[in-house]
């Protein structure tokens, strides 16, 4: 349902001509999605060159301040919180005598800004026997120099809490957000590194349904996130495009197919055929001999495909190309792009034979009743035993995955490769990672499985699946109805149906990314169509309202960059700028957790604070300098909200 069916694992095609033509098609499809790669790279290079003139550098030069010692893993030109980490580390090391290398990584986020912006637990850095850590916390906090950067340092038990200076943040964070724009929050921490991300990976000739959405949007988010951190990202869609199910589809199409319907609506018609032919199998049971049964005929048809039969391959290729064409449209709608459309059919027979030979050479395989097995309990008891070749010589998809991974490393020499695959395949993924390790491939340690829970309540074979296009159309239509209720605003929207679609997609994606990715959830229409509370439409509304504030005020960005920040005295403004300072750190944390929810949670916290500012920080009707200072804060907030939404794969709207 999500990736590579567990049944019908078979040999790959042996027709060299056909494999070459398939690869040519994949490369053509990939070209459509790689046209913007140079633009992305150029933007990144421009950003790297701009880093040397950051707002922090300008502020330090203005006040003739010395920059604190930089610590490993710190990027102060890009991340204001890193700059402050360096300052706290340097000063606390002088006071305490504790090595800076212990202090810097021990500085933590607080769970609420009431507890400061950063805190440090003294048990992590000071383990002298008999020391009274509570007394040391008080002593060190009282001695700590506030300088231009800190307003308060407090002892809280065995913790020390640090509160950043709003004055410093106004001068650095707002200016950074307004000048770096889409690159605020970006980093060069991954510069020179390459990552391959495999995600989405639906089964060919089946419609894209809500279940496929999870791998797709998580993989899209991770690709965007790594790119923003300076990595060279290569996106792969490894399609389930080979196996007995294609024989089954061919038999079904012969019985129930219509060339006319195929031309009008290929994917849904193929799905109808697939459901009907599976009902034939259920009805037959064991009543027919193998060669007369639907299953037997499907196996025989697929055997023809494996043997390179031109007529069988022609129909398979037709189904494949029609499916990819439809997927391209769906991915474009979701702001997803791929550099390569690969698939199981692209792993050659020779490569799999070579892999089987390597298994034998490294002493991994043993024979059992004609089949080849690998006993992984020798290395990890939880991994069990796995078949890599059936008694009839058929290689299973575990062998195919091993071969594909080897081929990818030879092609890309990656520093990391991520597989975004459902948690139901945790064992399979762990097995093939371990096999690569035992084959002696050091780069196997660079492989990572980012798993996720299942969307429950749907079944492809029973025909109860809910198609993603249907979900997106219903959410778009509902949002369109909501927009029409305000006739004045609706009249100002240039393309209301397109805007409604963007908002509907936000509703679907945010409800999926809001909780931890490992959690399962039951598919429910009312959940998909909800616009109450913390939802995608709420984020869109927050963005469009901030955009409206900017339009009505009429100032240019260059007017705002040098606003008089000293006019921002309200507590609400201080909280907001402290939240804006966190954004680069949020991305860094998301890079560790691989959780879209890390960014989603932050964006809701940000928008809630912006909302609380509207009653206090008025722009309209204020004296010009005060209006500019407040608008600059709002503009910085909108930029951060925009950046976070785009990172998640959303299209922020300016009016709704």
């Amino acid at each position: 349902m999500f990736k590579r069916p567990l049944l019908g694992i078979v040999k790959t095609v042996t027709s060299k001509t056909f494999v070459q033509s398939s690869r040519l098609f994949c490369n053509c499809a990939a070209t459509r999605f790689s046209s913007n790669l140079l633009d992305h790279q150029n933007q990144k290079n421009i950003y790297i060159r701009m880093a040397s003139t950051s707002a922090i550098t300008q502020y330090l030069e203005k006040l003739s301040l010395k920059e604190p010692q930089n610590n490993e893993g710190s990027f102060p030109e890009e991340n204001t919180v890193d700059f402050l980490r360096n300052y706290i580390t340097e000063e606390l090391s002088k006071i305490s005598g504790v090595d800076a290398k212990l202090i810097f990584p021990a500085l933590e986020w607080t769970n609420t800004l009431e507890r400061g912006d950063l805190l440090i637990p003294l048990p992590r850095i000071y383990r002298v026997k008999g020391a009274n850590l509570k007394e040391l916390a008080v002593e060190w906090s009282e001695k700590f120099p506030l300088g231009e950067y800190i307003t308060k340092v407090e002892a809280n038990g065995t913790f020390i809490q640090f509160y950043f200076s709003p004055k410093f943040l106004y001068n650095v964070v707002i200016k950074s957000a307004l000048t770096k724009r889409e690159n605020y929050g970006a980093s060069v921490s991954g510069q020179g590194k390459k990552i391959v991300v495999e995600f989405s990976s639906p089964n060919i000739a089946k419609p894209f349904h809500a279940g496929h959405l999870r791998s797709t949007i998580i993989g899209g988010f991770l690709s965007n996130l790594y790119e923003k951190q300076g990595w060279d990202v290569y996106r792969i869609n490894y399609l389930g495009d080979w196996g007995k199910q294609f024989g089954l589809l061919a038999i079904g199409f012969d019985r129930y197919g219509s060339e006319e319907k195929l031309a009008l609506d290929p994917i849904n018609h193929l799905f109808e055929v697939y459901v009907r032919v599976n009902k034939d199998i259920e009805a037959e049971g064991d009543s027919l001999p193998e060669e007369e049964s639907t299953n037997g005929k499907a196996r025989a048809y697929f055997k023809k495909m494996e043997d390179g039969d031109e007529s069988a391959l022609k129909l398979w290729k037709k189904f494949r190309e029609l499916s990819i064409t439809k997927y391209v449209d769906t991915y474009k709608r979701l702001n997803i792009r791929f550099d390569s459309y690969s698939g199981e059919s692209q792993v050659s027979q020779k490569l799999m034979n070579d892999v089987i030979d390597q298994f034998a050479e490294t002493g991994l395989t043993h024979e059992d009743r004609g089949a080849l097995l690998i006993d992984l309990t020798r290395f990890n008891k939880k991994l069990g035993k796995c078949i890599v070749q059936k008694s009839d010589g058929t290689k299973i998809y575990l062998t195919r995955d091993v071969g594909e991974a080897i081929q990818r490393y030879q092609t890309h020499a990656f520093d990391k490769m991520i597989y975004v695959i459902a948690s139901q395949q945790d064992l399979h993924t762990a097995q093939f990672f371990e096999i690569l390790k035992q084959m002696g491939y050091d780069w196997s340690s660079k492989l990572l499985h980012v798993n996720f829970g299942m969307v429950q309540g749907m079944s492809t074979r029973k025909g109860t699946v809910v198609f993603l296009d249907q979900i997106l159309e219903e959410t778009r239509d509902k949002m369109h109805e909501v927009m029409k209720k305000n006739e004045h605003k609706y009249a100002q929207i240039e393309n209301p149906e397109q805007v409604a679609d963007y908002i509907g997609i936000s509703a679907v994606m945010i409800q999926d990314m809001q909780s931890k990715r490992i959690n399962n959830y039951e598919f429910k229409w009312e959940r998909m169509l909800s616009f109450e509370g913390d939802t995608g439409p709420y984020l869109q509304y927050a963005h469009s309202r901030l955009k409206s504030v900017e339009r009505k005020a009429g100032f240019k960005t260059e007017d705002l960059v040098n606003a008089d920040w000293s006019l921002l005295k309200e507590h609400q403004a201080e909280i907001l700028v402290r939240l804006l300072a966190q954004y680069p750190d949020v991305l860094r944390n998301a890079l560790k957790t691989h959780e879209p929810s890390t960014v989603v949670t932050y964006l809701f916290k940000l928008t809630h604070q912006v909302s609380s500012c509207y009653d206090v920080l008025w722009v309209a009707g204020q004296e010009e300098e005060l209006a500019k200072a407040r608008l600059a804060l709002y503009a910085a907030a909108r930029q951060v909200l925009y950046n976070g939404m785009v990172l998640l794969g959303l299209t922020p709207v300016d009016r709704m």
Side-chain angles (χ1 to χ4, degrees), residues 233-370:
V233 180
Y234 192 83
R235 298 160 169 85
I236 292 181
N237 196 339
Y238 187 69
L239 302 167
D241 63 352
W242 199 246
K244 189 203 78 175
Q245 73 269 23
F246 290 99
L248 191 62
L249 194 61
I251 299 301
F253 192 77
D254 184 57
R255 292 178 187 174
Y256 308 114
S258 161
E259 290 292 343
E260 184 180 351
K261 288 183 178 179
L262 187 68
L264 290 172
D265 191 1
I267 301 301
N268 285 322
H269 181 54
L270 289 175
F271 176 70
E272 291 168 1
V273 168
Y274 186 76
V275 171
R276 288 186 71 179
V277 77
N278 270 286
K279 287 180 179 177
D280 288 350
I281 293 174
E282 291 179 12
E284 290 170 6
D286 298 323
S287 62
L288 295 174
E290 169 71 12
E291 64 274 10
E292 296 179 19
S293 71
T294 300
N295 255 330
K297 291 178 179 178
R299 290 191 185 95
Y301 191 96
F302 182 66
K303 181 68 167 57
K304 289 167 65 178
M305 289 171 57
E306 286 188 291
D307 293 341
D309 182 276
E310 288 299 326
S311 62
L313 290 173
K314 184 178 180 180
L315 185 62
W316 169 83
K317 186 178 181 182
K318 184 176 184 178
F319 291 163
R320 186 181 192 276
E321 291 185 357
L322 287 170
S323 295
I324 290 180
T325 300
K326 178 60 178 174
Y327 289 146
V328 165
D329 293 338
T330 302
Y331 290 128
K332 184 178 180 181
R333 198 172 176 186
L334 296 172
N335 290 326
I336 299 291
R337 62 187 175 87
F338 291 97
D339 301 300
S340 169
Y341 278 83
S342 181
E344 296 172 35
S345 64
Q346 306 304 296
V347 183
S348 70
Q349 184 70 31
K350 180 182 183 306
L351 178 59
M352 287 196 289
N353 288 336
D354 289 346
V355 168
I356 292 293
D357 290 343
Q358 287 185 56
F359 289 160
E361 290 168 7
T362 50
L364 287 173
T365 49
H366 68 275
E367 190 173 323
D368 186 353
R369 287 173 287 186

Side-chain angles (χ1 to χ4, degrees), residues 128-146:
V128 177
K129 192 173 182 180
N132 188 324
L133 296 184
K134 288 185 179 181
E135 290 183 1
L136 281 177
V138 172
E139 179 187 338
W140 293 351
S141 62
E142 289 177 349
K143 290 181 178 179
F144 195 92
L146 302 180

Side-chain angles (χ1 to χ4, degrees), residues 67-90:
E67 186 172 346
Q69 180 69 38
N70 198 24
N71 289 274
E72 186 177 354
S74 172
F75 298 90
E77 295 285 351
E78 305 158 10
N79 185 347
T80 304
V81 176
D82 265 355
F83 176 89
L84 293 162
R85 279 193 183 94
N86 287 335
Y87 175 73
I88 292 169
T89 297
E90 186 174 283

Side-chain angles (χ1 to χ4, degrees), residues 446-513:
K446 300 177 180 179
L447 306 181
L448 178 65
H449 177 201
V450 174
N451 59 4
F452 55 89
M454 304 293 291
V455 180
Q456 299 170 331
M458 295 184 297
S459 170
T460 304
R461 288 193 176 118
K462 294 178 182 177
T464 56
V465 65
V466 183
F467 301 156
L468 182 62
D469 284 347
Q470 180 186 358
I471 295 170
L472 297 181
E473 283 163 16
E474 291 218 14
T475 53
R476 178 198 62 202
D477 292 345
K478 176 161 184 179
M479 197 60 232
H480 200 185
E481 289 175 13
V482 174
M483 289 163 58
K484 286 179 180 178
K485 292 178 181 178
N486 190 323
E487 293 182 9
H488 176 68
K489 287 187 177 180
Y490 186 80
Q492 297 175 340
I493 301 173
E494 289 185 11
N495 192 340
E497 285 198 11
Q498 181 67 77
V499 170
D501 192 43
Y502 291 149
I503 298 169
I505 289 170
S506 299
V508 175
M509 291 177 68
I510 290 298
Q511 67 83 33
D512 198 295
M513 294 191 284

